[in-house]
Amino acid sequence: MSYDKVALIGLGLIASSMYWAMKRAGMAAHVSGYARSSETRETARRIGLCDTVCDSAEEAVKDADLIVLAVPVGAMGRVAEAIAPHLKPGATVTDVGSVKKAVIDEVGPHIPEGVNFVPAHPMAGTEHSGPESGFASLYDNRWCLIVPHGASEEATAALETYWQALGANTQRMEPAHHDLVCAVVSHVPHLIAYTMVGVADDLRRVSDQEVIKFSAAGFRDFTRIAASDPTMWRDVFLTNKEASLEILGRFTEELFALQRAIRTGDGDTLFDYFTHTREIRRGILQAGQDTDAPDFGRIRKE
Amino acid sequence: MSYDKVALIGLGLIASSMYWAMKRAGMAAHVSGYARSSETRETARRIGLCDTVCDSAEEAVKDADLIVLAVPVGAMGRVAEAIAPHLKPGATVTDVGSVKKAVIDEVGPHIPEGVNFVPAHPMAGTEHSGPESGFASLYDNRWCLIVPHGASEEATAALETYWQALGANTQRMEPAHHDLVCAVVSHVPHLIAYTMVGVADDLRRVSDQEVIKFSAAGFRDFTRIAASDPTMWRDVFLTNKEASLEILGRFTEELFALQRAIRTGDGDTLFDYFTHTREIRRGILQAGQDTDAPDFGRIRKE
Ligand SMILES: NC(=O)c1ccc[n+]([C@@H]2O[C@H](COP(=O)([O-])OP(=O)(O)OC[C@H]3O[C@@H](n4cnc5c(N)ncnc54)[C@H](OP(=O)(O)O)[C@@H]3O)[C@@H](O)[C@H]2O)c1
Ligand SMILES: NC(=O)c1ccc[n+]([C@@H]2O[C@H](COP(=O)([O-])OP(=O)(O)OC[C@H]3O[C@@H](n4cnc5c(N)ncnc54)[C@H](OP(=O)(O)O)[C@@H]3O)[C@@H](O)[C@H]2O)c1
């Protein structure tokens, strides 16, 4: 089963990359798109993003077989509510949100009988956003997590095939587990990076000039992360509260232990800790998950 | 003034890269080298690292015009003590330690009258270590901070010229300021990365497999950092205690504020914080300090 018509609701980095990847894959589907602001819709028309750019979400989802919600996590519920009455029976609604439990809670209740809802999360991105930031190869060899949570096998499998055609590997996961894994490998690392940049920015004794000039030494990637879209990340932390706070709690606990070791001059504790963490890196190398471009999961447009 | 004989004490990443960069630059200086273990000395002889590999530090520094201490920060004092009686009058001793106040305190007292001590710190590295990890381009366009702290202008200028010939830009800095800047842009970011990897490794509910598999999403660079040499980093935190603890204090303070905003659902605080930190990134882009290979200041061997 493939989709004859795909509707992209929200036309930012994720949706525009999906569009270019669909075209690259030679998919025949007609793609309609809708974004909230007329500015984004104009831009989309100008750059040829989507086969049709619609002035309402209602119009965009009309007759669509696959509807992709590609707006910030906090806006998913309202968007779902608005399009619900206009969904075709048998259609599949999916989303690309970075958090899954909250999206299921917010979107799920609006999905009418006879429509499938298959949440998903492509684990790929850059620090750029908006309709002009997308590119066809964003999802190549990246993971797209599929969270069926009760959707039909047929609808789930079709969505997997779709994401694979866009270049991604797919894996099914439970909502709560998804949110915890993402808190560890993405959300909390991002919060930490934001914080570290905030600290540097705040320190008047280390002039901004110096922080910028010498930023190559461990800090530059933090600033890249800290340039990510504030709305998206606000929504991630507000909606993945539980897992984020749990991982943050663990993080500060461990950090305090190391801080104490520094204060008391306990070199053995530091040495053992630093030795232990080497193992996980070895695992990543063995799993072939390293590339020459460490980038916090970001991919650069060629 | 250029050096006729250069002695490298310690033959790891930093010293071996210096050797290859000296050869690349066509420097005429004879380079003698010494490492603590016979294993490293054997390796150095096998791969042609140094013109002469000596079996004692005393022999290596004999007649040398420039002596480079390239051992972990915590070992600098003992090495300086051992070589002190064998230094040629008029020679310059320098080091490459990541911390400067502690090195000055430990090494300074051993430097005899008539010998110059000009501490330095090349801000470049990889997560690899040992005699085989070095390469000629490590210092290209990187900053080497020079901390004269009372050395003669002539000796200081000569060391600057030397580092520039190895490919680096140089800048003079006061010891305490150096340690604070490095705590912000390098030391604390490294500690945070070690901690985040430790947390992930510890979480049994997120299997190691998953952390490794999905590590592309923000976490992989943390694991790269956390694979850095434990001895070097233990010494950095033990010897740059004051600045590290100060920056860590600021960091946890800010992190708690964000954690609280997450807990209380205060989206405005999160949004404002994330918007503010974007500015510093803009500064870095404007300063031309970004490259296509975000790498925590690491450079990869081609
Ligand atoms: N960027 C990443 O790294 C990444 C990775 C994986 C998943 N995701 C998820 O993908 C989704 C989209 O992210 P993105 O990076 O594509 O964002 P983006 O580039 O900022 O685009 C967001 C789109 O959503 C629209 N939008 C924003 N707020 C809205 C609201 N309140 N109501 C309706 N529409 C709204 C925007 O419309 P206007 O243009 O008209 O303002 C825009 O078209 C998010 O849920 C995010 O969590 C992002
Ligand atoms: N790596 C970086 O990212 C980086 C960046 C800037 C500055 N630095 C500084 O550069 C210095 C050297 O670092 P590196 O990366 O070159 O380290 P490395 O590759 O691990 O090499 C360290 C060298 O020091 C010797 N050594 C270790 N412990 C010693 C001891 N207790 N007494 C005498 N010799 C000892 C080792 O001898 P054996 O081989 O015989 O064990 C080896 O030759 C450190 O002070 C570090 O702070 C490092």
Side-chain angles (χ1 to χ4, degrees):
Chain A
M1 179 185 133
S2 70
Y3 311 109
D4 291 329
K5 181 177 171 186
V6 175
L8 302 174
I9 308 300
L11 295 173
L13 169 71
I14 296 298
S16 61
S17 295
M18 289 175 77
Y19 180 74
W20 302 122
M22 284 165 72
K23 293 294 132 177
R24 185 189 62 170
M27 286 186 199
H30 181 92
V31 182
S32 61
Y34 167 76
R36 173 183 58 164
S37 69
S38 59
E39 197 190 329
T40 297
R41 298 196 298 267
E42 301 280 283
T43 303
R45 287 185 186 110
R46 181 170 50 75
I47 66 174
L49 174 64
C50 295
D51 301 317
T52 320
V53 176
C54 304
D55 284 323
S56 73
E58 168 182 345
E59 195 190 331
V61 305
K62 194 164 180 287
D63 295 325
D65 304 288
L66 178 68
I67 298 92
V68 183
L69 309 182
V71 298
V73 171
M76 297 275 182
R78 265 164 291 143
V79 170
E81 186 176 12
I83 61 169
H86 312 285
L87 297 171
K88 177 168 98 170
T92 293
V93 172
T94 188
D95 77 296
V96 295
S98 308
V99 175
K100 293 272 73 83
K101 257 173 39 179
V103 167
I104 289 168
D105 289 349
E106 298 293 315
V107 171
H110 298 297
I111 303 295
E113 271 288 317
V115 169
N116 298 289
F117 177 40
V118 191
H121 174 205
M123 296 183 79
T126 75
E127 72 274 24
H128 303 294
S129 53
E132 296 186 275
S133 58
F135 52 102
S137 60
L138 180 64
Y139 306 112
D140 287 352
N141 291 315
R142 294 315 182 104
W143 287 95
C144 182
L145 303 180
I146 309 281
V147 183
H149 104 109
S152 78
E153 176 55 34
E154 198 196 349
T156 306
L159 190 71
E160 285 171 333
T161 305
Y162 170 79
W163 271 107
Q164 287 158 12
L166 302 192
N169 303 312
T170 59
Q171 164 142 340
R172 298 189 190 188
M173 211 177 258
E174 286 300 309
H177 193 67
H178 167 280
D179 289 359
L180 185 66
V181 168
C182 289
V184 176
V185 303
S186 172
H187 304 169
V188 172
H190 273 79
L191 192 75
I192 287 169
Y194 270 120
T195 308
M196 192 63 228
V197 174
V199 168
D201 198 30
D202 225 47
L203 272 178
R204 293 290 161 239
R205 271 188 298 147
V206 175
S207 75
D208 287 356
Q209 253 276 269
E210 280 171 337
V211 166
I212 288 168
K213 194 161 162 186
F214 304 119
S215 68
F219 181 72
R220 195 187 46 199
D221 283 343
F222 283 8
T223 69
R224 176 188 300 272
I225 293 180
S228 297
D229 188 60
T231 304
M232 166 183 161
W233 284 100
R234 175 199 64 197
D235 283 7
V236 165
F237 294 112
L238 291 180
T239 57
N240 197 15
K241 190 190 244 191
E242 205 185 311
S244 298
L245 290 176
E246 178 181 340
I247 302 304
L248 271 171
R250 302 291 287 250
F251 175 83
T252 47
E253 205 175 277
E254 302 265 313
L255 190 64
F256 282 151
L258 293 177
Q259 196 167 328
R260 193 167 178 282
I262 293 173
R263 196 182 303 281
T264 61
D266 178 358
D268 291 344
T269 294
L270 295 172
F271 185 85
D272 291 347
Y273 200 93
F274 299 165
T275 301
H276 182 60
T277 52
R278 275 191 146 171
E279 297 305 319
I280 203 162
R281 175 74 185 164
R282 293 215 182 101
I284 287 174
L285 290 175
Q286 277 158 14
Q289 281 294 309
D290 187 53
T291 78
D292 275 358
D295 55 6
F296 280 89
R298 288 170 170 68
I299 297 188
R300 301 181 74 83
K301 216 165 172 168
E302 267 104 65
Chain B
M1 179 185 133
S2 70
Y3 311 110
D4 291 329
K5 183 178 170 185
V6 175
L8 302 174
I9 308 300
L11 295 173
L13 169 71
I14 297 297
S16 60
S17 295
M18 289 174 76
Y19 179 74
W20 302 122
M22 283 165 72
K23 293 294 131 174
R24 185 189 63 171
M27 286 185 199
H30 181 92
V31 182
S32 61
Y34 167 75
R36 173 183 60 162
S37 70
S38 59
E39 198 189 328
T40 297
R41 298 195 298 266
E42 300 280 283
T43 303
R45 287 187 185 110
R46 180 169 50 77
I47 66 174
L49 174 64
C50 295
D51 301 317
T52 319
V53 176
C54 304
D55 283 324
S56 73
E58 169 183 345
E59 197 188 330
V61 305
K62 194 166 181 284
D63 296 326
D65 303 289
L66 178 68
I67 297 93
V68 183
L69 308 182
V71 298
V73 171
M76 297 274 182
R78 265 164 291 144
V79 169
E81 186 176 11
I83 61 169
H86 312 284
L87 297 171
K88 178 166 98 172
T92 293
V93 172
T94 187
D95 76 297
V96 296
S98 307
V99 176
K100 293 272 74 80
K101 257 174 37 179
V103 168
I104 289 168
D105 289 349
E106 297 293 315
V107 171
H110 298 296
I111 303 295
E113 272 285 320
V115 170
N116 299 289
F117 178 39
V118 191
H121 174 205
M123 296 182 80
T126 76
E127 73 276 24
H128 302 295
S129 52
E132 297 186 273
S133 57
F135 50 102
S137 60
L138 179 63
Y139 306 112
D140 287 351
N141 292 317
R142 293 315 182 103
W143 288 95
C144 183
L145 303 180
I146 309 281
V147 183
H149 104 108
S152 77
E153 176 55 33
E154 198 196 350
T156 305
L159 190 72
E160 285 171 333
T161 305
Y162 170 80
W163 271 107
Q164 287 158 12
L166 301 192
N169 304 313
T170 59
Q171 166 142 339
R172 299 189 189 188
M173 213 178 256
E174 286 300 309
H177 192 67
H178 167 279
D179 289 358
L180 185 67
V181 169
C182 289
V184 176
V185 301
S186 173
H187 304 169
V188 171
H190 273 79
L191 192 75
I192 287 168
Y194 269 119
T195 307
M196 192 63 226
V197 173
V199 168
D201 199 29
D202 226 45
L203 272 179
R204 293 291 161 237
R205 272 190 297 147
V206 175
S207 75
D208 287 356
Q209 253 278 270
E210 281 171 337
V211 166
I212 288 168
K213 194 162 162 184
F214 304 119
S215 67
F219 182 70
R220 196 186 46 200
D221 283 342
F222 284 7
T223 71
R224 177 188 300 273
I225 291 181
S228 297
D229 187 60
T231 305
M232 166 181 160
W233 285 99
R234 175 199 64 197
D235 285 6
V236 164
F237 294 113
L238 292 180
T239 58
N240 197 15
K241 190 189 239 185
E242 203 185 313
S244 297
L245 290 176
E246 177 180 341
I247 302 304
L248 271 171
R250 302 290 287 248
F251 175 82
T252 47
E253 203 176 279
E254 302 265 315
L255 189 63
F256 281 151
L258 293 177
Q259 195 166 329
R260 191 165 181 284
I262 293 173
R263 197 182 304 279
T264 61
D266 178 359
D268 291 344
T269 294
L270 295 172
F271 185 84
D272 291 347
Y273 200 92
F274 299 165
T275 302
H276 182 60
T277 52
R278 278 191 143 171
E279 298 304 319
I280 203 162
R281 175 75 184 163
R282 294 213 182 102
I284 287 174
L285 290 176
Q286 277 159 14
Q289 280 294 307
D290 188 55
T291 78
D292 275 357
D295 55 8
F296 280 87
R298 288 170 171 69
I299 297 189
R300 301 181 75 82
K301 217 164 170 168
E302 266 105 62

